[in-house]
Amino acid sequence: MKILVVNAGSSSLKYQLLDMENESVLAKGICERIGTSGKISHKVADGRKFEAEIPMPTHTEAFQCLVDALTKGELKVIDSMSEISAVGHRIVQGGAIFSKSTLVDDKVIEQISDLAELAPLHNAAHVLGIKACIAALGKDVPEVVVFDTSFHQTMPARAYMYPIPYEYYEKYKVRRYGFHGTSHRYVSDRCAELMGKPKKDLKIVTCHLGNGCSISAIKDGVCIDTSMGFTPLDGLMMGTRTGTMDPSVLTFIAEKENMSPKEMDDMCNKKSGLLGVSGLSNDSRDVNNAAREGNERCRLAVDMQQYEVAKYVGSYIAAMNGIDALVFTGGIGENDPGMREYVSGQLGFLGVTIDLEKNKLRGEEVELSTPESKVKVWVIPTNEELVIARDTLALISK
Ligand code: ADP
């Protein structure tokens, strides 16, 4: 059975075609610059790939390009789209409505549209992706939506409420939702599997550290807290995002610089984090390399991010009253030995020890903790597309 996974952004459309017999990826790619020009990059399982510039005024043309890439030419992997049993879509914001993945119908599309108020950039684009998909494949192919927020819906109110006047929660649904849920779910499930224990008996802290960063506390099999909040801006310092800071900084700078709310939002989301502090790059590789060569602002940016990760992990250990396993994932979590060594080192007082040789590995699933370590430490490469495909399969098999 073949399942197509789609992740539609405002100007891009990423896709993967999976064969669920063995959960292998048959092909994957991305359509970019939708609305301005248009470019597709397509890659098949044996590594062969092509790139082409094709006009993509809207998501509909972009979707047609992926259909052509999958079904035509030398790198086609299927003869016709009728071989695809279902499509799974990644959706950023499911609000408090969607606590699990669900089959798409008109009402679900409307609800995702309505939630666009909480995630303006993302949800509107997801709806365009779903509609383009339905236009290309027809209504007979089942579509499933998988939300970044669903996994965090188990948080208790004390974790998801903000200490602002309660009326804003009632009027505008202002609360912590959390994001990257599909990734936190995947790596925590995999961690329990690797440890050979039921997830409900474990206290796990999962660190998804990429361009966007978030940490979750997973106790008795469910998420009890997570660092991203009302939007993906909350929590840790990230590639270009501030993460949590004193909100007065915003009003102070806005007044001094005469900046609008929109400009402040831009500053916090796009010009801050590693980029803002280093003045060099949002890419942690660049910042780390420059820090090693003696760039002081890059050193500071790296130190700040590592320190914050350790602080969040520590606070979640307190929130769970213990920890059995710490998991690193995402571009930085999977590839940056410096981050892992620092954070594990700060937990030395709990009896955490890691194997520094194994810690040099990049992008591999590996247990970092030594046999004596009181807490297991893992690197588990995330696989959100696989979770989306599995959820899609499960829902259409019902
Ligand atoms: P996104 O949040 O966009 O999905 P990723 O999970 O792909 O991001 O992570 C991107 C981040 O991972 C970048 O900051 C990149 O520098 C970092 N990264 C990738 N490889 C390495 C590496 N070898 N060492 C340090 N950081 C790395």
Side-chain angles (χ1 to χ4, degrees):
M1 190 177 285
K2 297 185 181 80
I3 290 188
L4 178 67
V5 174
V6 172
N7 180 356
S10 53
S11 67
S12 72
L13 204 156
K14 288 190 203 146
Y15 60 92
Q16 270 195 19
L17 182 65
L18 289 100
D19 184 350
M20 297 310 282
E21 296 305 322
N22 53 5
E23 297 190 330
S24 64
V25 178
L26 298 171
K28 61 179 170 182
I30 179 169
C31 299
E32 293 170 280
R33 304 186 207 145
I34 302 170
T36 48
S37 48
K39 179 185 165 201
I40 182 166
S41 313
H42 179 78
K43 191 174 173 185
V44 293
D46 65 14
R48 285 177 302 150
K49 54 186 170 185
F50 78 83
E51 285 185 359
E53 300 205 0
I54 300 167
M56 298 175 192
T58 70
H59 286 70
T60 306
E61 291 81 13
F63 204 90
Q64 193 54 48
C65 281
L66 88 79
V67 169
D68 290 346
L70 292 172
T71 58
K72 292 183 187 157
E74 269 183 33
L75 298 194
K76 75 171 195 178
V77 285
I78 47 175
D79 290 321
S80 127
M81 293 302 273
S82 62
E83 289 178 43
I84 291 174
S85 303
V87 183
H89 295 266
R90 179 223 177 186
I91 310 291
V92 165
Q93 180 56 276
I97 302 174
F98 296 104
S99 58
K100 47 184 193 293
S101 305
T102 184
L103 279 159
V104 173
D105 58 20
D106 290 343
K107 181 164 175 238
V108 167
I109 296 179
E110 200 180 306
Q111 286 170 314
I112 295 170
S113 272
D114 291 346
L115 286 165
E117 193 183 32
L118 300 179
L121 288 181
H122 293 107
N123 275 36
H126 299 326
V127 170
L128 292 175
I130 296 172
K131 288 187 172 165
C133 187
I134 294 173
L137 306 186
K139 281 206 166 185
D140 289 341
V141 180
E143 317 241 350
V144 165
V145 277
V146 179
F147 301 89
D148 280 19
T149 46
S150 293
F151 181 63
H152 305 301
Q153 277 297 305
T154 47
M155 283 188 289
R158 65 180 181 196
Y160 71 69
M161 289 301 290
Y162 288 121
I164 51 173
Y166 198 80
E167 65 189 270
Y168 298 121
Y169 168 63
E170 293 177 309
K171 266 167 59 183
Y172 306 122
K173 306 186 182 76
V174 175
R175 50 159 282 182
R176 178 185 308 282
Y177 290 102
F179 298 88
H180 287 151
T182 313
S183 176
H184 290 290
R185 172 151 69 105
Y186 174 78
V187 298
S188 55
D189 283 351
R190 183 76 189 127
C191 173
E193 199 177 319
L194 288 164
M195 288 174 70
K197 290 192 177 165
K199 199 169 160 189
K200 66 172 178 41
D201 295 341
L202 292 170
K203 294 169 180 169
I204 308 173
V205 175
T206 49
C207 306
H208 179 113
L209 310 174
N211 213 356
C213 300
S214 68
I215 301 191
S216 291
I218 299 153
K219 187 184 180 196
D220 305 334
V222 298
C223 175
I224 63 145
D225 207 343
T226 192
S227 62
M228 280 182 171
F230 179 58
T231 72
L233 180 59
D234 200 359
L236 299 154
M237 168 179 171
M238 316 183 202
T240 58
R241 294 175 230 163
T242 54
T244 306
M245 63 173 183
D246 182 348
S248 305
V249 171
L250 294 186
T251 43
F252 181 84
I253 296 177
E255 275 174 23
K256 289 276 180 205
E257 300 273 324
N258 197 19
M259 283 159 77
S260 67
K262 169 83 185 70
E263 287 171 316
M264 292 313 294
D265 189 74
D266 242 40
M267 182 200 86
C268 292
N269 273 295
K270 298 184 184 154
K271 299 179 184 163
S272 300
L274 289 178
L275 174 66
V277 176
S278 72
L280 179 83
S281 170
N282 65 308
D283 191 304
S284 104
R285 270 167 299 199
D286 299 340
V287 182
N288 266 296
N289 287 340
R292 272 190 287 273
E293 284 159 14
N295 182 316
E296 282 181 22
R297 269 173 57 187
C298 287
R299 176 82 271 151
L300 173 63
V302 170
D303 287 350
M304 284 169 71
Q305 196 184 40
Q306 291 181 347
Y307 177 67
E308 276 235 306
V309 172
K311 272 205 307 195
Y312 261 97
V313 172
S315 69
Y316 286 168
I317 294 172
M320 295 194 293
N321 190 14
I323 178 172
D324 298 303
L326 173 67
V327 181
F328 292 99
T329 193
I332 297 174
E334 291 165 28
N335 293 296
D336 182 3
M339 172 65 82
R340 300 185 305 227
E341 185 178 347
Y342 176 81
V343 176
S344 306
Q346 292 303 100
L347 301 179
F349 74 99
L350 281 176
V352 174
T353 50
I354 64 164
D355 181 324
L356 293 178
E357 275 308 306
K358 283 191 189 161
N359 190 38
K360 288 181 185 158
L361 295 171
R362 293 174 195 267
E364 279 180 48
E365 188 174 88
V366 60
E367 181 182 347
L368 294 184
S369 41
T370 60
E372 307 77 50
S373 181
K374 297 250 172 21
V375 177
K376 298 281 178 199
V377 183
W378 294 93
V379 178
I380 302 179
T382 195
N383 196 341
E384 289 155 285
E385 291 80 9
L386 181 58
V387 176
I388 295 172
R390 283 177 180 169
D391 277 13
T392 304
L393 181 63
L395 277 163
I396 63 165
S397 307
K398 265 189 185 168

